[in-house]
Amino acid sequence: MRAALVERKLFGGTCVNTGCMPTKTLVASAYAAHLARRGSEYGVAIEPPIQIDMKRARARADMVSTNARTGVETWLRGMSGLTVFQGHAHFEGPDRVRVGESVLQAPRIFINVGGRASVPDMPGINAVNYLTNTSILQLDAVPEHLVVVGGSYIGLEFAQMYRRFGAQVTVIEKGPRLIAREDEDISEAIQQILTDEGIAVRTNATCIAFSPRPDGIEVRIDCTSGQPQAVGSHVLLAVGRRPNTDDLGLKKAGVATDARGYIIVDDGLVTSVPGIWALGECNGRGAFTHTAYNDFEIVAANLLEGANRRVSDRIPGYALYIDPPLGRVGLTEAEARKTGRPLLVSTRPMTRVGRAVERGEMKGFMKVVADAETQKILGAAILGVNGDEAIHGILDTMNTGSSYPELQWAVPIHPTVSELIPTVLGNLRPVS
Ligand SMILES: Cc1cc2nc3c(=O)[nH]c(=O)nc-3n(C[C@H](O)[C@H](O)[C@H](O)COP(=O)(O)OP(=O)(O)OC[C@H]3O[C@@H](n4cnc5c(N)ncnc54)[C@H](O)[C@@H]3O)c2cc1C
């Protein structure tokens, strides 16, 4: 087939340029700083105070992103049958897309425009110089006091990273707890991990407002307790994402969106217009690189191999890359309870995981939720060292459709975090 690909900015998109890759590279630098501070616990002498070279840390993140971006771009530009257009694409009709002076006509159009940081109309927001996940990556120096507005996945990763780089950090969350999508015990444990490192966490911030001050930016919190405001040298807005669908001319194509601008798709990711598909973050069915990639796998299999793959068959899995990380798959316990099914739940603290003890990284816990009748695992969380990797044992089991007793017979490798999974399964107990 002949194909055209249109990119308006940086090849590789969010993950490569301003998302997963630069942030996980900086998380690695922050981890190195953390371990260096703890060196003496391991019998490694490092003279305190340790120095953070933010320019060097940033350069390392830039290099990782640049290598990935140029690799993708070179690959695309060299692909036979593919023409790459650089510019902003917008629809002129259901089978026509304009890019500058060029009009492209095709029987199949795939929208994969991603999203960007949402900047809600909060009081005073336009009067201050706030940072987003994109602009914060340009910082060459460690902020004196970083105020992170938004206590969810993106905000918490930056909060811990900058605390480890030496900044004073305050997280302001309007809800009653951090990462409210997770179970309460997970939120509590994560808050404890962050406060143990000296991060101030302010929840129930119902009246967030911003104003410039000579010494920085004031963020009004208006909690019922504590200081009614925090003054930061820098403020990071991490209050959600919005899809890049507002400037796409979707109306001209007849492509329907929901109230938040996400493109409405069916189970095979076809939009309201046959011949137009929407993949990745812009369809609201996943907010991760692996879900965007899986969207591609679904569409490719259905179109090219006559398969009938459906996005609703996907078992959601993801990680939160604080340290220790949270690996997640399937339902939370709260979601499982809402199904009304008879449940089994088991938890185990990381203090009882040999590998964690040996590494001196014992924060967090594991939790598995299963259906008591079908014996299928419904969901799991591993908040702990290597939790982002160890969760895959459960994720894979769920994807094979096996029941949990089958996984109990696996003989895992010692000493690993994963080896405790059969033990956790062995302790599954009914919950009321
Ligand atoms: C700080 C941060 C950390 C993250 N960490 C992780 C992580 O650890 N793991 C994970 O799985 N996910 C992570 N994510 C999420 C992940 O980056 C996104 O879910 C993923 O990149 C979405 O892929 P996509 O293909 O849907 O869109 P994108 O990667 O956003 O790509 C869309 C592309 O379309 C281009 N575009 C948009 N509109 C137009 C137009 N009109 N014309 C032409 N081109 C256009 C954009 O320039 C962009 O290059 C993170 C995100 C952020 C912000």
Side-chain angles (χ1 to χ4, degrees), residues 6-15 18-20 23-24 87-90 112-115 133 154 157-158 241 244 247-248 279-282 286-290 292 319 321:
V6 191
E7 172 53 55
R8 72 176 172 192
K9 212 167 172 207
L10 299 175
F11 288 85
T14 305
C15 184
T18 56
C20 340
T23 57
K24 267 80 258 184
H88 173 79
H90 60 100
N112 193 157
V113 289
N133 69 281
I154 291 175
E157 288 181 13
F158 279 111
R241 310 267 304 159
N244 291 327
D247 52 2
L248 254 187
L279 295 81
E281 220 173 297
C282 68
F288 303 98
T289 298
H290 48 278
Y321 290 96

Side-chain angles (χ1 to χ4, degrees), residues 247-313:
D247 52 2
L248 254 187
L250 290 177
K251 280 209 174 86
K252 286 193 183 152
V255 172
T257 57
D258 68 13
R260 297 192 303 148
Y262 287 98
I263 298 172
I264 297 168
V265 288
D266 68 12
D267 225 5
L269 303 173
V270 183
T271 68
S272 53
V273 179
I276 304 182
W277 286 255
L279 295 81
E281 220 173 297
C282 68
N283 65 22
R285 305 293 289 263
F288 303 98
T289 298
H290 48 278
T291 49
Y293 186 74
N294 181 237
D295 282 0
F296 149 73
E297 291 178 311
I298 291 169
V299 171
N302 292 352
L303 274 179
L304 305 177
E305 293 159 22
N308 183 26
R309 292 183 61 174
R310 299 176 305 181
V311 70
S312 59
D313 289 337

Side-chain angles (χ1 to χ4, degrees), residues 102-178:
S102 312
V103 175
L104 311 173
Q105 193 153 10
R108 290 169 176 174
I109 299 179
F110 305 92
I111 307 172
N112 193 157
V113 289
R116 61 186 186 275
S118 161
V119 182
D121 194 15
M122 297 160 120
I125 188 71
N126 293 320
V128 299
N129 281 328
Y130 58 85
L131 298 164
T132 64
N133 69 281
T134 303
S135 50
I136 197 171
L137 297 174
Q138 308 303 318
L139 292 185
D140 264 341
V142 178
E144 201 180 303
H145 182 186
L146 178 67
V147 176
V148 177
V149 179
S152 202
Y153 306 89
I154 291 175
L156 297 186
E157 288 181 13
F158 279 111
Q160 189 189 46
M161 176 202 301
Y162 273 98
R163 179 68 193 139
R164 290 180 169 191
F165 287 149
Q168 186 190 339
V169 174
T170 303
V171 175
I172 298 179
E173 164 57 45
K174 76 172 189 255
R177 60 187 172 95
L178 299 177

